[in-house]
Amino acid sequence: MQILFGNLAIFVLALLVGVEVISKIPSTLHTPMMSGANAIHGVVIAGAVVTASLANSPTGYILTFIAGAFAAANVFGGYAVTDRILKMFMRPKAVEPADETKTSKDAS
Amino acid sequence: MTDFEFVVGLIYLLSASLFVVGLHMMRAPATARNGNRISAVGMIIAVAATVALSLVTSGGEWIAWAVLAVGVLLGGIFGVYRARTVKMTDVPQLVSVFNAVGGSAAAAIAFAAFILATSSNPLDLTVSIPIVLDVLIGSITFSGSLIAAGKLQGVIPGNPVTFPGSRALNAVVALIALGASVAAIILPENTLLLVVVLVTALILGVLMVLAIGGADAPVVVSLLNALTGLAVAMAGFAIDNQALIIAGALVGAAGTILTLQMAKAMNRSVLSIILGGFGTG
């Protein structure tokens, strides 16, 4: 019961943080934000690891494989595609070296 | 709690903080890319800590680890390859596919936890409720996200697909899914009931998203994304893993806010989108 209460507490607090962390965002960032959040729930791969450590039957192995393969596609693909979208976002500003964002912002 | 588990807990806290900071930085174009990288660092340390924890506390069989390694390798290659090669205009579809596989991974984890638990001792409500919710939500997001991706790709007709009696069918399927869920929670040792939940939830996901117009599909992908976050959090409850609970809840809430904002930007209400059929198509 104590474990459940601890878990419930962090669940509710994490929900509230999730609401607060995204206040108003420009609509151009909607897609990358969605993609970035999608990558974060790729943490389900950690659950696949736990499943693998407990699996002890053929069904368990199959479920481990499904969880591992699908979660890996989610997490690796999610971060890679988010980075690719955001790289494209930077391009208009990053005609000069990437760390000069402030001066290039003035120029645009 | 051993000293080792305490250290793993601290690492989870650090990775959760990195997720929050990363998401926060993604609100502005100038910091967004670094925000995504910070979140990726959080992911790497969370997964590394979980591998160490699993090896120390339960060890496991080498076959299972080998199966996991092959699966992760295949899934990872597919994900990175698609992410690198997809046309930029097709990105929303790909995100939807990644969301679909994330949801089904969460459902698979719940299923595995269910089988393990039933083979040892009777299920506690504190375990059976998250397991059933995980299978229910994870399956809906899996099939729903695939249909949404199909609509965005143009493989499935963009206009709302409805037919005479489709609402009645939706209601019947939803009732069966809910009934089976309640039964699976109260009568916990029945794999067949969980399979019924799985199948009806899959059908429900297809029916719900088919009825939604293609123009609303991006909002629906965002909503399903938030739901996958919740499914992952439920998986965290089922296997008692705080990294999954925190990250899942974070995505569930942030994704919901994002969905509301996206709908607002399009002058649509989320409710009318979900109910479908009124849409612009």
Side-chain angles (χ1 to χ4, degrees):
Chain A
M1 203 50 102
Q2 205 175 356
I3 294 174
L4 176 69
F5 181 76
N7 286 344
L8 269 179
I10 61 167
F11 176 70
V12 173
L13 292 176
L15 281 178
L16 293 175
V17 171
V19 171
E20 286 301 314
V21 81
I22 302 195
S23 48
K24 267 229 164 315
I25 40 170
S27 57
T28 46
L29 277 178
H30 281 166
T31 306
M33 186 61 125
M34 179 171 82
S35 180
N38 173 60
I40 291 179
H41 70 53
V43 75
V44 71
I45 196 171
V49 170
V50 174
T51 304
S53 74
L54 300 173
N56 55 9
S57 66
T59 324
Y61 304 146
I62 294 169
L63 289 169
T64 299
F65 179 80
I66 295 174
F70 282 9
N74 184 180
V75 73
F76 288 108
Y79 278 109
V81 82
T82 310
D83 193 62
R84 210 175 136 212
I85 306 170
L86 291 170
K87 192 164 80 185
M88 197 191 61
F89 262 72
M90 307 308 257
R91 201 169 291 154
K93 287 179 187 167
V95 244
E96 293 92 10
D99 47 319
E100 302 282 324
T101 36
K102 267 189 188 151
T103 49
S104 56
K105 197 185 270 175
D106 295 342
S108 66
Chain B
M1 186 183 250
T2 62
D3 286 354
F4 181 71
E5 286 169 334
F6 181 74
V7 172
V8 170
L10 286 182
I11 296 176
Y12 280 173
L13 268 183
L14 174 64
S15 81
S17 312
L18 291 175
F19 289 150
V20 172
V21 171
L23 263 184
H24 189 77
M25 286 172 73
M26 287 186 75
R27 293 184 314 166
T31 53
R33 200 174 178 201
N34 281 333
N36 188 48
R37 285 173 177 163
I38 288 177
S39 142
V41 171
M43 182 64 67
I44 292 169
I45 62 171
V47 174
T50 310
V51 171
L53 179 72
S54 301
L55 282 173
V56 169
T57 53
S58 40
E61 298 175 8
W62 71 267
I63 304 182
W65 287 108
V67 166
L68 179 76
V70 174
V72 166
L73 194 68
L74 291 177
I77 290 173
F78 167 80
V80 172
Y81 175 75
R82 290 300 299 144
R84 290 254 169 91
T85 54
V86 69
K87 276 190 287 177
M88 282 325 278
T89 47
D90 291 346
V91 161
Q93 293 89 302
L94 187 64
V95 172
S96 190
V97 170
F98 289 156
N99 185 46
V101 291
S104 64
I109 289 164
F111 234 101
F114 183 80
I115 290 169
L116 271 177
T118 48
S119 63
S120 47
N121 46 0
L123 269 190
D124 206 311
L125 279 184
T126 60
V127 185
S128 66
I129 292 176
I131 285 179
V132 171
L133 284 178
D134 186 353
V135 171
L136 186 71
I137 304 172
S139 308
I140 289 179
T141 62
F142 175 67
S143 59
S145 298
L146 287 183
I147 299 292
K151 280 195 180 247
L152 286 165
Q153 185 70 39
V155 185
I156 295 167
N159 49 326
V161 179
T162 46
F163 44 89
S166 61
R167 285 193 180 220
L169 181 66
N170 277 6
V172 169
V173 176
L175 276 178
I176 298 174
L178 277 179
S181 298
V182 172
I185 289 170
I186 311 173
L187 320 162
E189 295 184 48
N190 193 333
T191 314
L192 185 67
L193 273 175
L194 204 60
V195 173
V196 173
V197 175
L198 177 87
V199 173
T200 47
L202 285 174
I203 299 172
L204 202 57
V206 172
L207 290 175
M208 277 165 67
V209 180
L210 270 181
I212 288 164
D216 291 330
V219 181
V220 173
V221 173
S222 176
L223 183 69
L224 292 167
N225 188 36
L227 280 177
T228 305
L230 283 183
V232 170
M234 290 305 129
F237 277 103
I239 60 174
D240 187 28
N241 183 294
Q242 285 74 31
L244 264 66
I245 298 177
I246 297 177
L250 201 58
V251 175
T256 307
I257 301 296
L258 183 63
T259 307
L260 293 173
Q261 289 197 16
M262 283 172 84
K264 201 171 157 195
M266 294 169 71
N267 267 326
R268 301 276 286 139
S269 94
V270 174
L271 196 64
S272 67
I273 290 175
I274 300 167
L275 293 177
F278 318 122
T280 44

